Coordinates of all heavy atoms in Angstrom, one line a residue:
L1358 N -107.6 -33.9 -58.4 CA -107.3 -32.5 -58.1 C -108.5 -31.7 -57.6 O -108.3 -30.9 -56.6 CB -106.7 -31.8 -59.4 CG -106.2 -30.4 -59.2 CD1 -105.0 -30.5 -58.2 CD2 -105.7 -29.8 -60.5
P1359 N -109.7 -31.9 -58.1 CA -110.8 -31.1 -57.4 C -111.0 -31.5 -56.0 O -111.4 -30.6 -55.2 CB -112.0 -31.6 -58.3 CG -111.5 -32.0 -59.6 CD -110.1 -32.6 -59.3
I1360 N -110.8 -32.7 -55.6 CA -110.9 -33.1 -54.2 C -109.8 -32.4 -53.4 O -110.1 -31.9 -52.3 CB -110.9 -34.6 -54.0 CG1 -112.0 -35.3 -54.8 CG2 -110.8 -35.0 -52.6 CD1 -112.0 -36.8 -54.9
V1361 N -108.6 -32.4 -53.9 CA -107.5 -31.7 -53.2 C -107.8 -30.2 -53.0 O -107.6 -29.7 -52.0 CB -106.2 -32.0 -53.9 CG1 -105.1 -31.1 -53.3 CG2 -105.8 -33.5 -53.9
R1362 N -108.3 -29.6 -54.1 CA -108.6 -28.2 -54.0 C -109.7 -28.0 -53.0 O -109.7 -27.0 -52.2 CB -109.1 -27.7 -55.4 CG -108.0 -27.7 -56.4 CD -106.8 -26.9 -56.1 NE -105.8 -26.9 -57.1 CZ -104.5 -27.0 -56.9 NH1 -104.0 -27.0 -55.6 NH2 -103.7 -27.1 -57.9
Q1363 N -110.7 -28.9 -52.8 CA -111.7 -28.8 -51.8 C -111.1 -28.9 -50.4 O -111.5 -28.1 -49.5 CB -112.8 -29.9 -52.1 CG -114.0 -29.9 -51.2 CD -114.9 -31.0 -51.5 OE1 -114.4 -32.2 -51.6 NE2 -116.2 -30.8 -51.6
I1364 N -110.2 -29.8 -50.3 CA -109.5 -30.0 -49.0 C -108.7 -28.7 -48.6 O -108.8 -28.2 -47.5 CB -108.6 -31.2 -49.0 CG1 -109.5 -32.5 -49.1 CG2 -107.7 -31.3 -47.8 CD1 -108.7 -33.8 -49.4
E1365 N -108.1 -28.1 -49.6 CA -107.3 -26.9 -49.4 C -108.3 -25.8 -49.0 O -108.0 -25.0 -48.1 CB -106.5 -26.5 -50.6 CG -105.3 -27.4 -50.9 CD -104.7 -27.1 -52.2 OE1 -105.3 -26.6 -53.2 OE2 -103.4 -27.3 -52.3
A1366 N -109.4 -25.7 -49.6 CA -110.4 -24.6 -49.3 C -110.9 -24.8 -47.9 O -111.3 -23.8 -47.3 CB -111.5 -24.7 -50.3
A1367 N -110.9 -26.0 -47.4 CA -111.4 -26.3 -46.0 C -110.4 -25.9 -45.0 O -110.6 -26.1 -43.8 CB -111.8 -27.7 -45.9
G1368 N -109.2 -25.5 -45.4 CA -108.2 -25.0 -44.5 C -106.9 -25.8 -44.4 O -106.0 -25.5 -43.7
A1369 N -106.8 -26.9 -45.1 CA -105.5 -27.7 -45.1 C -104.5 -27.0 -46.0 O -104.7 -26.9 -47.2 CB -105.8 -29.1 -45.6
T1370 N -103.4 -26.5 -45.4 CA -102.5 -25.8 -46.2 C -101.2 -26.5 -46.5 O -100.4 -26.1 -47.4 CB -102.1 -24.5 -45.4 OG1 -101.6 -24.8 -44.1 CG2 -103.4 -23.6 -45.3
T1371 N -100.9 -27.6 -45.7 CA -99.6 -28.3 -46.0 C -99.9 -29.6 -46.7 O -101.0 -30.1 -46.7 CB -98.9 -28.6 -44.6 OG1 -99.7 -29.5 -43.9 CG2 -98.7 -27.3 -43.8
H1372 N -98.9 -30.1 -47.3 CA -99.0 -31.4 -47.9 C -99.4 -32.5 -46.9 O -100.1 -33.4 -47.2 CB -97.7 -31.8 -48.7 CG -97.4 -30.9 -49.8 ND1 -96.1 -30.6 -50.2 CD2 -98.2 -30.2 -50.7 CE1 -96.1 -29.7 -51.2 NE2 -97.3 -29.5 -51.5
R1373 N -98.8 -32.4 -45.8 CA -99.1 -33.4 -44.7 C -100.6 -33.3 -44.3 O -101.2 -34.4 -44.1 CB -98.2 -33.2 -43.5 CG -98.4 -34.2 -42.4 CD -97.3 -34.2 -41.4 NE -96.1 -34.6 -42.1 CZ -94.9 -34.5 -41.6 NH1 -94.7 -34.0 -40.4 NH2 -93.8 -34.9 -42.3
A1374 N -101.1 -32.1 -44.2 CA -102.5 -32.0 -43.8 C -103.4 -32.5 -45.0 O -104.5 -33.1 -44.7 CB -102.8 -30.5 -43.6
I1375 N -103.1 -32.3 -46.2 CA -103.8 -32.8 -47.3 C -103.8 -34.3 -47.3 O -104.8 -35.0 -47.5 CB -103.3 -32.2 -48.7 CG1 -103.6 -30.7 -48.7 CG2 -104.0 -32.8 -49.9 CD1 -102.9 -29.9 -49.8
A1376 N -102.6 -34.9 -47.1 CA -102.5 -36.3 -47.1 C -103.4 -36.9 -46.0 O -104.0 -37.9 -46.2 CB -101.0 -36.7 -46.8
A1377 N -103.3 -36.3 -44.8 CA -104.2 -36.8 -43.7 C -105.7 -36.7 -44.1 O -106.4 -37.6 -43.8 CB -103.9 -35.9 -42.4
A1378 N -106.1 -35.6 -44.7 CA -107.5 -35.5 -45.2 C -107.9 -36.6 -46.2 O -108.9 -37.2 -46.1 CB -107.7 -34.1 -45.7
L1379 N -107.0 -36.8 -47.1 CA -107.2 -37.9 -48.1 C -107.3 -39.2 -47.5 O -108.2 -40.0 -47.8 CB -106.1 -37.9 -49.2 CG -106.1 -36.7 -50.2 CD1 -104.9 -36.7 -51.0 CD2 -107.4 -36.7 -51.1
N1380 N -106.4 -39.5 -46.5 CA -106.5 -40.8 -45.8 C -107.7 -40.9 -45.0 O -108.4 -42.0 -44.9 CB -105.2 -41.0 -45.0 CG -104.0 -41.2 -45.8 OD1 -104.0 -41.8 -46.9 ND2 -102.9 -40.7 -45.3
A1381 N -108.1 -39.8 -44.4 CA -109.4 -39.8 -43.5 C -110.6 -40.1 -44.4 O -111.5 -40.7 -43.9 CB -109.5 -38.5 -42.8
R1382 N -110.6 -39.6 -45.6 CA -111.7 -39.8 -46.5 C -111.7 -41.2 -47.1 O -112.6 -41.6 -47.9 CB -111.7 -38.8 -47.6 CG -112.1 -37.4 -47.2 CD -112.1 -36.5 -48.3 NE -112.4 -35.1 -47.9 CZ -112.8 -34.2 -48.7 NH1 -113.0 -34.4 -49.9 NH2 -113.1 -33.0 -48.2

């Protein structure tokens, strides 16, 4: 959850964008 919150704070607002960020990491 802290990583997801960090991704959201960086501007990812949709579940798809968060998924892409997690995969990219």
Side-chain angles (χ1 to χ4, degrees):
L1358 190 59
I1360 297 170
V1361 171
R1362 296 298 181 221
Q1363 184 183 46
I1364 291 169
E1365 288 174 329
T1370 57
T1371 66
H1372 294 148
R1373 184 166 293 167
I1375 295 169
L1379 289 169
N1380 289 328
R1382 291 182 180 200

